[in-house]
Amino acid sequence: MIDYDLDVILFSKHKLWKLERILEVTNLDKEKFQRKLEELNEKLEIRHLRKLEYKNEIVAIPDNLQNFEEVRFSINQKNFVLSEIERQALIYLLVFVEARTLSIYDLQNWLVVSRNTVLSDIKKLRKRLEKDKIQVEYSRKKGFYLHFENEKHQEKAWYFLQKLSEKNGCYILSKFLNQKDSLAIFKVSQFLRQTMKQMKIEIVYSRYISTLLYTSLLKARASKYPDEAINKQIEALMIGMSDGRGAIPQDNFLYRIAFNIMENVMKLAAIEFEDFTKTFMALLAHLTPAYFRIKNHFELENVLLERIKNEYYSLFLLMDIALVPLKEQVGEISESERAYFVILFGGEIYKKKYSSKRLKAIVLCVNGISSSLIMKKRLENLFPTMEFILSTGVSHFEKLPKNSYDIIFSTVPVKSDKKVYLMSVFPEHREENELYNQLLKDYHLPGFVKPSAQNILSAIEPYITVKNPASKKDLLRIIDKKLNHTRREGEISGVMLSDLLTKEKIRFTDKSLGWQEAIELAAQPLIEQHEIEKRYVQAIIDKVEAFGPYIDLGLGIALPHARPEDGVNQLAMSFLRCEQPVKLMDDVKHEIKLFIVLAAIDNETHLRALSTLTKILSNKDRLNQLLTATEASEVEQILLEEEGEK
C-alpha cells in the first residue's frame, strides 16, 4: 500500500534517528515501523538507490531523495501515458486546489503532454462540467480557476478522484500536493489517524488512499478559501469509508431504516433469514457508511457491478424497492451502491446453493493450454455446479498437487487414482450427452439424464408424419438443438412470473370477503392443482395472526406465503383480484385489492418471478393496469410485456 508514514524522517534535515524518536513522531509501533522500512528499502533497491540503514536502533537516512514520489509509487514517469479521462480528472483536481497559479504551460509539465492536448482536454472538461454549472475559467492574474453556482465543485472533485489510476494518476496528484511542502500529505495522514482514534472507527484498507488524497485536496483548498464546513465533510467521508463498526451511536435512526429494509427484503423475496440478528447486524454495519457515502456524494465505483447485475439480476431488481426507506433519506441510490446491498443479502439467500461441497476438476489437453481453456469453458457450461480449478497442458499434470482436484477431464489417457474422463477438444452433442449422463451417474449429481436426439426421434416416430420439405434429418437436428440449448445467464436465475400465473391460476371476485376468506379463495387454484396442501393456507393465516400484516407489500397488493415445509408440493403462484378491497387483519390501513399467493420451495427459485412483480410495483401505470384488470388475458398480457416477451 502507498503510504506516507516515514516522510517525517525522510525529509528531515536530521540524518540519524533513534528508533524511540521515530516511533514518537510517526505514531507507529516497532513492528509496523520495521515492516515499512523493509518495504521502502525494497523499492529503493529496485531503483538502485541507497537504502536506509538500521543498526542498534539507529536509522541513517540517505542524503539524496530526489524524485521520491516515483519511489513511493514504484513507477517511472517516462514510461507511462495518462488516459484522456485521467488527464481531465487531474486538470480539474489541480485547478480545484488553487494553491498556485496554473497556466497551460504548467499543465503541460504536470501531465507531460503537448499544448494542443491540454487545450483539447480543457475543452472537453468544460463540456463535461456544463450540466453541473461549473466553469473552468482563466485569467492572467489567477491562472485557471473554478467558477460555480453551487457546492457541487467538491462533489465533482471526489468524482474525478475516483477516475485516477492507483499508480499513475495518484502519483501525479501526490507529487502536486507535496511539491510545496514535502510533509503536506503526511500531516493529513496523521490527522486522519488521530481522528479515527477519537471516533473509534477504522477506514477500510482499500479506501484509505482515496480518503487521504481527498482530505488533502480539501485542506489544500481551504488554505486559500477557509471553510468551516470542511471538518464536518471530512468526518462524513471517514464514516462513509469506514467498515461501519463503532461509527454511530446505537440509538441512531439507522436502526429503523435497517429494520425496514430487512422487512422489505423478506416481503419482496418471500424469504426468512436463518439468523435474523446476524443478518441485521451485518446490514447495519454496511448501512451506516453507505448512508454517509450516498448522502454526501462519496459514492464508490463498484468493479463487480456488471457481474452482480448478470448473476443476481432478480435480487438486483428487488433491491430497488427494498431500499426505499434509505432512498427517502438520501435520494437516488446508484447502481454501484445498490450492488453492494445485493452482495450482502445475496450471500445469505444463495448460501445454501453454494455451501455444499463442490467437485473440483482439472482439464488437460495434449494440444496445450489454449485448447484446454476452450474445453474448460464448454465443461463449465455443462456442469455449472462443478469447480474447474485449472486448465493446462498434459505435460504439467505431474506437477499438480493430487489433493487439489477430484476429477480429470483429458484428451488423452493419464495415470491417476482419480476419475479420468476422456473427451475431444470440440465434443459433438452426442459425446457431451454421454459425458453428462456418466457424471450424473458416477457422482449422483442433481439433474436428469439427457436422452439423445435419436432416442427421442425413435420414440415419437411411429406417431408422427414428417411433411415435405422437412426431413427426419431436419427433425433430428432441431431436437438436438433444443436438447443442447445453452441458456443465457439471465434465464438461469429462475422461473418467470408469466410461467407461474397462467389462466387457470388467475381469478377475480366481486364478493365482500374477510381477509381469511380472501386468502383461502386466492390459494384455491393451487390446491386444485395439488401444488400445495390445505394446511399451507392455514399456515399462512396463522402466521399473519401471529406476526401481523407482513404479507402487505403496499399499494394494495399482498403476497401471502408460508414456509415450504408447511405444505408446498412445488413452486407455484395464484392471483386473485378483489373488486371490493379486503381489510387485512381487519385494519383499514392494510386494504388489499390483489392477493398473489406464493408457494416457494426454497429461498431463490421464485426470485425471478418476484423481480417482475417488483418492477410492476415501481411503475404506476403498469400497477394500475394490474389492479384494474378484469380478465385473465389482460393479466397475462401485462406480465409478458413487463418481462419483455411481447
Side-chain angles (χ1 to χ4, degrees), residues 41-175:
N41 276 338
E42 285 176 10
K43 290 181 178 181
L44 290 166
E45 188 173 17
I46 289 171
R47 295 178 66 86
H48 306 292
L49 296 172
R50 187 180 162 192
K51 297 190 290 185
L52 279 68
E53 294 178 30
Y54 178 42
K55 192 174 181 181
N56 297 328
E57 299 201 335
I58 298 290
V59 177
I61 310 296
D63 288 332
N64 191 353
L65 283 174
Q66 289 183 352
N67 299 325
F68 183 71
E69 293 297 340
E70 291 192 2
V71 175
R72 192 197 308 277
F73 285 83
S74 300
I75 61 170
N76 184 339
Q77 190 172 346
K78 294 177 183 175
N79 295 336
F80 71 76
V81 177
L82 297 164
S83 66
E84 183 177 291
I85 180 60
E86 207 164 11
R87 293 197 305 269
Q88 290 175 29
L90 279 166
I91 290 173
Y92 184 90
L93 294 171
L94 303 193
V95 173
F96 172 80
V97 173
E98 277 194 54
R100 70 209 67 164
T101 303
L102 281 175
S103 64
I104 296 282
Y105 177 75
D106 294 321
L107 292 175
Q108 276 181 253
N109 286 336
W110 281 107
L111 305 179
V112 196
V113 291
S114 68
R115 177 183 175 83
N116 285 340
T117 301
V118 170
L119 289 173
S120 172
D121 287 338
I122 290 174
K123 184 178 178 182
K124 290 176 182 175
L125 177 61
R126 283 171 168 157
K127 184 75 178 171
R128 187 186 287 268
L129 294 170
E130 274 180 4
K131 68 176 181 181
D132 294 310
K133 297 181 179 177
I134 300 172
Q135 289 101 40
V136 180
E137 303 283 13
Y138 177 79
S139 74
R140 283 182 176 275
K141 184 178 179 182
K142 295 176 66 175
F144 284 103
Y145 65 96
L146 297 181
H147 178 77
F148 46 88
E149 297 178 8
N150 50 44
E151 295 305 312
K152 278 200 168 185
H153 65 302
Q154 292 180 348
E155 175 186 331
K156 215 64 190 174
W158 175 259
Y159 167 82
F160 280 123
L161 185 61
Q162 305 304 300
K163 300 298 177 189
L164 299 187
S165 58
E166 289 182 5
K167 281 209 164 184
N168 302 349
C170 288
Y171 154 75
I172 298 284
L173 185 59
S174 179
K175 188 176 174 183

Side-chain angles (χ1 to χ4, degrees), residues 10-67:
L10 293 174
F11 297 103
S12 166
K13 61 183 180 182
H14 302 295
K15 297 302 172 189
L16 289 176
W17 284 77
K18 288 183 179 177
L19 177 62
E20 184 182 1
R21 178 61 178 154
I22 290 174
L23 301 184
E24 183 183 338
V25 297
T26 60
N27 289 317
L28 297 171
D29 58 37
K30 186 176 180 180
E31 187 181 341
K32 280 185 181 175
F33 165 71
Q34 289 179 329
R35 191 175 68 246
K36 288 176 183 292
L37 181 65
E38 287 175 15
E39 290 170 357
L40 175 59
N41 276 338
E42 285 176 10
K43 290 181 178 181
L44 290 166
E45 188 173 17
I46 289 171
R47 295 178 66 86
H48 306 292
L49 296 172
R50 187 180 162 192
K51 297 190 290 185
L52 279 68
E53 294 178 30
Y54 178 42
K55 192 174 181 181
N56 297 328
E57 299 201 335
I58 298 290
V59 177
I61 310 296
D63 288 332
N64 191 353
L65 283 174
Q66 289 183 352
N67 299 325

